[in-house]
Structure formats: C-alpha cells, structure tokens
Amino acid sequence: MKRIMKTLMLVVAASLLVVACTSNSTSSEAESTIVEEENTNGLPQEYLGNYHGVQPGYNMKNQYGDDVIINGQALKIPAIDHKFLVKEGNIISLQQTSLDDNSRYYYEGSYRVNGETDTEYTIECNVSDSNGTSNPSFSLVIQKETKSVKCSSEDQPDFDLEKIK
C-alpha cells in the first residue's frame, strides 16, 4: 500500500512538473506547486514534529459505562505519557510510557487529515505495535495558532498535547 501511494505521489508530482515546465513557468514556481500538492495530502510542514502530553490515570469502564471490578476493586489504568511524532507522508509514530512502572510501548502508523477549519486541523491516527497485536487509534485536533492539541480515543479520557519541536 505504501509503495502504491509513493508511486502515485511521484506520478502526480511528475505530471505537475511537466505541466509547469511546458507553461514557461520558473522552476521555483514548479517546486512551489509540488510542495502545495504534497501538503494537501498531509499537514503543512510547520505542524510536523513532536507532540507531548500525559493522559491521566482512570478507572477502566465496561460497555455500560460502569467501572470494571475485579476482586472487589476497580481496575485502574495508570497515567500514560504520550509522545507523538508527526512526519511527512502521513506517517506517525507513538511512544507511550506508563508512569506507574516506566514501561514503554512503541507504535507506528499513519494519519489522515479529515477536517480543517480556519482555526484547526482534525487528524485521525491509526497505529500498531511491531507484532500487530495492539492497534490503537486517536483523534488529534490541532489548533493552528498555538499548535496545542486535544487528543481523544474511544473509551479513554481526552488529554492535551503540546508541540515540543
């Protein structure tokens, strides 16, 4: 799938370059056109980079919205440190660190921009671990002006992220 997308991007970019060159435009205009085309498929360059935030601990809920109880105790999910790395080509990486025992989990995947307004971008992220056994998905709402993010995921509390570089 990635190879098909790369090939398609190259064909589109080459087509734009040929059209730009045959219409007597300068090479800088052709390069600008190609960059603009790439940005329509992902986030603009200024929004790429590292985002960091901590999801607070919470009690796991069942399908009815009640706490999951095991041996008379609510099942507590510890606070989790999240670091998202948003890259070119709609690629995203995630490092999660449990603040309970410092264990780390790494995920790779892709994102797609599924909404844009004057003030924000909404992207959907689908990642998986190297074994393919864990496949979390997240919705990130990026504020254009501040580059702050609201992260949400099904059945988990929302939390904030800040762009760190």
Side-chain angles (χ1 to χ4, degrees):
M1 183 68 172
K2 287 182 182 179
R3 191 178 339 171
I4 293 171
M5 290 301 293
K6 280 184 177 179
T7 303
L8 183 59
M9 290 288 289
L10 286 173
V11 169
V12 170
S15 299
L16 288 173
L17 186 59
V18 168
V19 170
C21 289
T22 58
S23 66
N24 293 328
S25 60
T26 66
S27 64
S28 64
E29 289 174 6
E31 290 171 10
S32 174
T33 302
I34 291 169
V35 169
E36 287 176 22
E37 178 64 27
E38 289 174 354
N39 286 343
T40 61
N41 295 323
L43 290 170
Q45 187 74 28
E46 68 184 290
Y47 298 99
L48 303 179
N50 286 306
Y51 292 85
H52 174 255
V54 175
Q55 181 181 42
Y58 62 95
N59 290 341
M60 182 177 275
K61 305 290 184 185
N62 65 20
Q63 64 188 0
Y64 305 107
D66 298 327
D67 287 349
V68 172
I69 306 295
I70 298 177
N71 293 330
Q73 298 291 319
L75 182 59
K76 295 184 184 293
I77 304 299
I80 304 289
D81 181 87
H82 288 72
K83 290 182 183 168
F84 287 92
L85 176 55
V86 181
K87 304 180 221 178
E88 290 180 350
N90 296 62
I91 297 169
I92 194 160
S93 299
L94 170 62
Q95 173 187 287
Q96 290 181 325
T97 304
S98 170
L99 297 181
D100 188 38
D101 63 4
N102 286 326
S103 57
R104 288 192 178 166
Y105 302 92
Y106 297 93
Y107 301 90
E108 298 290 330
S110 62
Y111 71 89
R112 69 182 168 88
V113 178
N114 69 347
E116 178 183 0
T117 68
D118 290 342
T119 59
E120 64 189 28
Y121 288 102
T122 302
I123 66 172
E124 295 299 321
C125 310
N126 295 300
V127 295
S128 63
D129 64 5
S130 61
N131 300 328
T133 56
S134 178
N135 303 295
S137 60
F138 300 89
S139 177
L140 304 179
V141 179
I142 303 171
Q143 297 302 313
K144 289 181 175 181
E145 187 175 324
T146 63
K147 296 182 181 72
S148 61
V149 179
K150 178 67 75 177
C151 180
S152 59
S153 185
E154 191 173 323
D155 299 327
Q156 298 177 15
D158 296 350
F159 61 100
D160 296 323
L161 300 165
E162 293 295 325
K163 190 166 194 290
I164 56 175
K165 64 177 187 174

